[in-house]
Amino acid sequence: MATSIRHMLKDELQYVVRGTLWIECEQERFFGPGRVELLQRIDETGSIRKAAAGMGMSYKKAWAMVTALNRQVQRPLVVVKVGGEKGGGSIITDEARELITYHSQLRQRFLAFLEKEANDLKESRDLKPK
Amino acid sequence: MATSIRHMLKDELQYVVRGTLWIECEQERFFGPGRVELLQRIDETGSIRKAAAGMGMSYKKAWAMVTALNRQVQRPLVVVKVGGEKGGGSIITDEARELITYHSQLRQRFLAFLEKEANDLKESRDLKPK
DNA sequence: CATCGTTATATTCTTGAGAATATAACGCTA
DNA sequence: TAGCGTTATATTCTCAAGAATATAACGATG
């Protein structure tokens, strides 16, 4: 039988189980919430610069993310065009879209996990033994 | 049917799903891996100072953690003694021990979740739809 | 060939978190 | 009452991550 800690918490305060989740590639960050948002914004705006600005991120950091992402997979997730019409721009590939979908589903499962834990905590139910 | 992203990953690299998890109280950190270790070390050494030093943490930060912890629950988790024999010292309460146990079990469940996700990723199995 | 807005990269500037330091209070012991 | 090692707290110092800034390359377009 698992431990309940409900009795030591303050009734007037709210406790919640939180967490974050990402995919690592060779000990370094590969894909997490920040990169999802960046890819989505590149998709919407067609520009790394606009995407970065839109989420209050420096261009430098966004660029570093893009190069890291492309380095960590077989085929590029972001295709970049320097110069030309409108000065250039960037688009995301179908594989980037797949990755976003995958992450969204993973996140769903994780949120369900967190929600269950927070609920068990609040309800002071006993959890099944490990 | 869930999305598989295995085909876009590099065969020679290793990908793994990672994450971290904590309990929040009123939008601020309440309990996570760092505080577990601090409590355990206080338990072992009988001293906040020694506990902090042992984990390469400044006394100031450790002290902040202790006061925050005690503020966030009904009854103190760390009982502090100023002056006296050996200058004083600190012990953790039974409730602190319960909290550590609870967190350890929570962590077990989380690790199982991560392991399953990493495995599904690697094996390229299709995951059950949300 | 000048213009444009982007990508690409280097360099300087800020700032805030945490380390380091300093100092006092405390209470038992001898 | 002097000494000890701890708790308790304030202040200064350090440093690195990221912001800000600057500048050049790029390539289509008119």
Side-chain angles (χ1 to χ4, degrees):
Chain A
M1 175 148 78
T3 309
S4 164
I5 59 165
R6 189 65 192 86
H7 63 285
M8 63 181 77
L9 305 182
K10 291 183 172 177
D11 290 333
E12 69 273 22
L13 299 186
Q14 213 173 350
Y15 301 82
V16 55
V17 182
R18 284 203 192 288
T20 181
L21 188 81
W22 62 91
I23 303 172
E24 273 185 18
C25 167
E26 303 286 292
Q27 273 71 266
E28 76 180 21
R29 224 53 169 259
F30 165 51
F31 206 69
R35 293 181 177 194
V36 171
E37 185 178 351
L38 182 64
L39 287 183
Q40 287 173 330
R41 285 179 181 271
I42 292 175
D43 196 24
E44 291 163 11
T45 62
S47 155
I48 295 175
R49 181 169 300 278
K50 284 179 190 156
M55 59 194 292
M57 174 184 291
S58 71
Y59 175 82
K60 183 183 176 182
K61 189 172 176 186
W63 173 248
M65 280 189 179
V66 167
T67 53
L69 276 171
N70 282 344
R71 180 171 36 79
Q72 288 165 328
V73 291
Q74 287 186 9
R75 289 169 293 279
L77 299 174
V78 180
V79 175
V80 148
K81 190 176 148 202
V82 181
E85 188 183 17
K86 314 211 67 169
S90 300
I91 59 173
I92 73 174
T93 64
D94 284 346
E95 292 195 344
R97 267 179 263 275
E98 284 178 57
L99 195 52
I100 290 171
T101 300
Y102 167 79
H103 186 270
S104 152
Q105 291 171 356
L106 173 60
R107 186 180 139 81
Q108 284 291 332
R109 296 189 289 271
F110 183 49
L111 288 180
F113 174 87
L114 290 181
E115 207 167 314
K116 177 180 181 345
E117 288 292 344
N119 199 54
D120 287 347
L121 178 62
K122 185 186 294 180
E123 299 297 329
S124 193
R125 285 182 199 139
D126 283 329
L127 308 173
K128 98 163 191 273
K130 73 175 167 79
Chain B
M1 177 147 77
T3 309
S4 165
I5 60 166
R6 189 66 192 85
H7 63 284
M8 63 181 78
L9 305 182
K10 291 182 170 177
D11 290 333
E12 69 274 22
L13 300 186
Q14 213 171 350
Y15 300 82
V16 55
V17 182
R18 283 204 193 289
T20 180
L21 191 79
W22 62 91
I23 304 172
E24 273 186 17
C25 168
E26 304 286 292
Q27 273 73 265
E28 77 179 21
R29 226 49 170 260
F30 166 51
F31 206 68
R35 293 182 178 193
V36 170
E37 186 179 351
L38 182 65
L39 286 183
Q40 286 173 331
R41 284 178 182 272
I42 292 174
D43 196 24
E44 291 163 12
T45 62
S47 154
I48 294 175
R49 181 168 299 278
K50 284 178 191 157
M55 59 195 290
M57 174 184 291
S58 71
Y59 175 83
K60 184 185 175 181
K61 189 173 176 184
W63 173 248
M65 279 189 181
V66 167
T67 53
L69 276 171
N70 282 344
R71 180 170 37 79
Q72 288 164 327
V73 289
Q74 286 186 9
R75 288 169 294 280
L77 298 174
V78 180
V79 175
V80 148
K81 190 176 149 201
V82 181
E85 187 183 19
K86 314 211 68 171
S90 300
I91 59 174
I92 71 174
T93 64
D94 285 346
E95 293 196 344
R97 267 180 263 275
E98 284 178 58
L99 195 52
I100 290 172
T101 299
Y102 167 80
H103 186 271
S104 151
Q105 291 171 355
L106 173 60
R107 187 180 139 80
Q108 284 293 331
R109 296 189 289 270
F110 183 50
L111 288 180
F113 173 87
L114 290 181
E115 208 166 313
K116 177 179 182 344
E117 289 292 344
N119 200 55
D120 287 346
L121 178 63
K122 185 185 294 180
E123 300 296 331
S124 193
R125 285 183 199 140
D126 282 328
L127 308 174
K128 97 162 191 276
K130 73 176 167 76

